[in-house]
Amino acid sequence: MCDKEKLVGMLRLMYKIRFFEERAKKLYKAGMLSGNFLGALHSYIGEEAIAVGACSCLKKEDYILSTHRGHGHFIAKGGDLKRMLAELQGKETGYCKGRGGSMHLFDPKIGFLGGNGIVGGGIPIAIGTAFSSKYRGTEQVTVCFFGDGAATQGTFHESLNMASLWKLPAVFICENNLYAVTTPTLETISIPNIGDRASAYGIPGKVIDGNDILEVYQIVSEAVNRARSGEGPSLIECKTYRWDPHCFVIPETRAKDEMERWKTKDPIPRFEKKLLDGKIITDDDIKKMKSEVIKEIDEAEDFAKNSPLPDVEAFKEEVCAR
Ligand SMILES: Cc1ncc(C[n+]2csc(CCOP(=O)(O)OP(=O)(O)O)c2C)c(N)n1
Ligand SMILES: [Mg+2]
């Protein structure tokens, strides 16, 4: 399905996300990412296979729309760790000059058209970008990530209807981590599978194991090819689980045994095992790769730490000018 280099690259990206999130958490908890301006930090740990599996099917010029839990999407689409961590810490060298923080990463150069603090807010934007590509005849595909909570927003239903009607080149990926903040999906969604809602819009719908990166890659590839060849959108529900609380200002409410059970389905060792069994990598390769990624994150931390905070006077000009 993929060559060796690609598979190893996918594992490296999963490490990047996991270790970046661990570092961001540590810094956040230590109070470095402090103050109301920066808001909450939503960890993507446990869900790495979805971002990496899906973005590995894309070209640089393809678009993705992300969520409040978007660090993994950003890294998987090629985001730079230094400027990213600087943004999380509100520094001038960050992607949005420290004005956006964790939920508002943005880089059109890599096709990353934003995280979003509004649940379900990225879905209608994806309709716009997909329409734009179709209208301009560029063959770009838009992948839109959103959670199970967002799948019950009106924006989801309106957008999927329109995407189907206009055969837009879009792939809707629902990351069903079984909760919206503390509310279980079972208490808010009337059918067992969000992917089955695709039939209401006459588009293909799949329900897959979001912790199996190769399954994500295969199913998203099919949907991306379909979109690129003008056959229209698809909906893919990836079942997964977040390991951390919703964010670090909201106490954990989930049952301990449920959390432990899901940790046994950790997508990273599962993929490592496949690559080891297939003799694609060795234990030494894994060790080396992990230390290279940690070094990259250390460098990002130094970069962010040594970067200046924005000039408050400039804020005033940006808000008041024109
Ligand atoms: C429109 C809107 N309603 C409510 C919120 C508060 N809120 C932030 S995250 C969240 C839950 C989102 O759940 P889900 O879509 O499943 O994503 P997850 O956090 O599980 O990744 C809610 C209700 C919001 N940000 N926007
Ligand atoms: Mg959720």
Side-chain angles (χ1 to χ4, degrees):
M1 175 162 65
C2 304
D3 62 21
K4 180 182 162 179
E5 199 186 331
K6 178 136 189 162
L7 291 168
V8 175
M10 285 160 77
L11 182 60
R12 182 184 287 272
L13 278 172
M14 289 175 100
Y15 290 144
K16 262 197 191 185
I17 297 172
R18 175 74 53 99
F19 299 158
F20 180 91
E21 292 293 61
E22 282 171 354
R23 186 68 57 93
K25 245 163 79 172
K26 194 172 131 212
L27 293 170
Y28 188 80
K29 285 184 178 167
M32 280 190 66
L33 307 176
S34 61
N36 293 333
F37 164 69
L38 290 163
L41 189 84
H42 304 85
S43 159
Y44 196 67
I45 292 178
E47 305 186 21
E48 296 91 344
I50 305 172
V52 178
C55 291
S56 299
C57 305
L58 299 178
K59 299 180 181 175
K60 191 175 176 189
E61 59 272 22
D62 289 330
Y63 298 127
I64 70 170
L65 274 300
S66 179
T67 66
H68 54 287
R69 198 177 298 290
H71 304 166
H73 309 140
F74 195 65
I75 292 172
K77 194 69 173 66
D80 171 69
L81 301 189
K82 287 184 177 156
R83 292 181 62 204
M84 187 179 172
L85 198 52
E87 185 59 40
L88 264 61
Q89 297 192 27
K91 298 293 182 82
E92 183 70 27
T93 53
Y95 268 99
C96 300
K97 296 162 86 181
R99 272 67 158 172
S102 159
M103 285 188 269
H104 302 285
L105 294 162
F106 194 91
D107 186 7
K109 289 200 186 89
I110 56 167
F112 187 94
L113 300 186
N116 209 310
I118 307 297
V119 171
I123 313 177
I125 300 174
I127 302 303
T129 60
F131 176 77
S132 155
S133 309
K134 183 166 177 160
Y135 186 74
R136 290 178 293 124
T138 63
E139 295 190 359
Q140 288 161 293
V141 171
T142 293
V143 165
C144 179
F145 296 97
F146 53 95
D148 45 282
T152 297
Q153 287 281 45
T155 53
F156 168 88
H157 299 285
E158 292 176 39
S159 301
L160 265 72
N161 177 57
M162 199 177 272
S164 172
L165 192 64
W166 291 350
K167 273 193 181 295
L168 297 182
V171 179
F172 299 95
I173 300 184
C174 179
E175 301 179 317
N176 183 356
N177 58 15
L178 314 184
Y179 291 84
V181 191
T182 53
T183 309
T185 308
L186 286 174
E187 289 178 18
T188 55
I189 298 187
S190 58
I191 53 174
N193 297 316
I194 292 164
D196 293 343
R197 288 180 171 174
S199 64
Y201 306 105
I203 63 173
K206 293 270 177 351
V207 181
I208 66 172
D209 179 353
N211 284 17
D212 179 346
I213 188 166
L214 295 179
E215 187 176 352
V216 174
Y217 180 83
Q218 190 192 327
I219 299 298
V220 176
S221 284
E222 288 168 15
V224 166
N225 291 340
R226 187 173 187 277
R228 215 182 290 290
S229 61
E231 292 170 72
S234 308
L235 171 64
I236 300 167
E237 176 188 2
C238 302
K239 305 272 192 199
T240 189
Y241 201 78
R242 65 173 150 75
W243 286 19
D244 287 307
H246 171 72
C247 65
F248 298 103
V249 291
I250 294 187
E252 185 57 77
T253 56
R254 298 170 300 172
K256 275 209 172 77
D257 61 336
E258 179 185 280
M259 294 196 286
E260 289 313 314
R261 202 167 56 248
W262 272 94
K263 283 188 181 173
T264 64
K265 302 182 196 183
D266 186 342
I268 297 185
R270 280 174 73 181
F271 191 39
E272 281 170 346
K273 186 171 179 324
K274 280 194 180 142
L275 299 189
L276 287 166
D277 290 350
K279 308 226 174 312
I280 289 167
I281 48 166
T282 63
D283 284 317
D284 282 346
D285 294 333
I286 289 181
K287 263 191 218 141
K288 184 164 172 276
M289 211 178 345
K290 283 184 174 174
S291 69
E292 286 166 357
V293 170
I294 297 279
K295 185 165 170 275
E296 205 183 325
I297 293 169
D298 288 341
E299 286 167 6
E301 186 178 334
D302 284 344
F303 174 82
K305 192 169 152 195
N306 295 321
S307 293
L309 285 165
D311 174 9
V312 177
E313 290 306 310
F315 280 15
K316 287 187 202 156
E317 274 168 36
E318 287 163 13
V319 173
C320 304
R322 286 180 284 277

